[in-house]
Amino acid sequence: MKNASEFTSPPSDYNVIVPDGWFALPLGPEDRDRGIVALADQQFRGVDNAPHIKKQFMREIQRKAKDAYGVGGTELYISTLSVGQLPLASSLLISIPGPDEWPDISDAHELAEHLASKSGARSDDSDQPDAEEVGVVTLAAAGNAVRQRRKEAPDPTSQLGSTLPNTLVTYYVPIPATKSWLLLNFSTPMDPLADQMVELFDTVAGTLHWD
């Protein structure tokens, strides 16, 4: 496994290891609907009295998948994990924004400053735990990356009625020997378990490596 600094030409691919129980949903229009049906059937297996909720779930996943594809999404993972009867709802969207959708920045520290100035993100010693965080981290094989953690107001119409805020963690990773970036966009509405879910997200991001 090569480190990011060893690449003198662009890598041919990337790899990231996700937990068992994260469903890989195809984003391409030709396979998307089949994947959504398979995910819904898996999520609602053994539940015979919730057809309305199942249809609503499928509509929300359809919207999320279309939006993801429209912003350069390459992979979308949906968590089907649970603890007892509690579903550990979360998702991971991996995307590569187009050049017209991204500032002309190729350095992680410069991008962190850019994002922080736009959002008013807090520093690590801030006493505002819910404020946005932005900083540079080093991933074991993928190299320097910008890590951004923030909260987003709930949208009950697109979260099956949930009124809890979403916790979002995004890793912006420069692709070696290019001016492009790979984005790992994690999300969870599990606000009471946000810190534990973020630990899982950080672990997954740490597995990213280039081929």
Side-chain angles (χ1 to χ4, degrees):
M1 184 188 303
K2 293 170 65 175
N3 290 326
S5 59
E6 298 178 72
F7 283 86
T8 56
S9 59
S12 59
D13 203 355
Y14 68 86
N15 280 286
V16 65
I17 300 172
V18 302
D20 291 338
W22 280 23
F23 186 95
L25 183 69
L27 293 179
E30 64 281 358
D31 298 317
R32 183 190 302 147
D33 289 345
R34 190 183 312 115
I36 291 171
V37 171
L39 174 60
D41 287 346
Q42 179 176 323
Q43 287 290 80
F44 289 87
R45 184 175 297 128
V47 181
D48 299 323
N49 59 348
H52 175 72
I53 296 176
K54 183 177 180 179
K55 288 181 180 179
Q56 188 178 355
F57 172 82
M58 292 175 67
R59 283 196 299 268
E60 168 57 15
I61 298 301
Q62 177 77 254
R63 182 195 63 79
K64 182 177 290 189
K66 285 183 177 179
D67 289 349
Y69 186 73
V71 296
T74 60
E75 296 182 87
L76 177 62
Y77 294 92
I78 305 290
S79 172
T80 63
L81 298 172
S82 62
V83 175
Q85 298 298 312
L86 178 67
L88 298 179
S90 60
S91 64
L92 164 61
L93 168 64
I94 303 178
S95 61
I96 302 177
D100 296 336
E101 303 167 355
W102 198 248
D104 186 19
I105 297 174
S106 58
D107 177 76
H109 292 276
E110 187 178 347
L111 179 62
E113 292 179 4
H114 172 76
L115 294 173
S117 66
K118 287 183 60 177
S119 64
R122 74 179 177 90
S123 61
D124 291 339
D125 58 356
S126 169
D127 58 359
Q128 303 175 49
D130 289 337
E132 183 171 318
E133 305 171 30
V134 177
V136 176
V137 298
T138 301
L139 302 178
N144 283 345
V146 179
R147 178 185 181 276
Q148 181 183 45
R149 175 178 174 173
R150 61 200 186 281
K151 282 195 177 182
E152 180 180 72
D155 181 4
T157 62
S158 65
Q159 294 175 212
L160 300 180
S162 173
T163 57
L164 296 176
N166 277 314
T167 296
L168 309 174
V169 178
T170 302
Y171 278 82
Y172 304 84
V173 191
I175 301 175
T178 76
K179 293 184 178 180
S180 299
W181 294 74
L182 183 76
L183 274 58
L184 307 180
N185 303 279
F186 298 92
S187 174
T188 180
M190 306 294 293
D191 191 54
L193 298 176
D195 288 341
Q196 292 88 337
M197 297 300 292
V198 168
E199 287 183 12
L200 174 61
F201 298 161
D202 289 337
T203 298
V204 172
T207 69
L208 176 67
H209 56 278
W210 309 107
D211 289 334

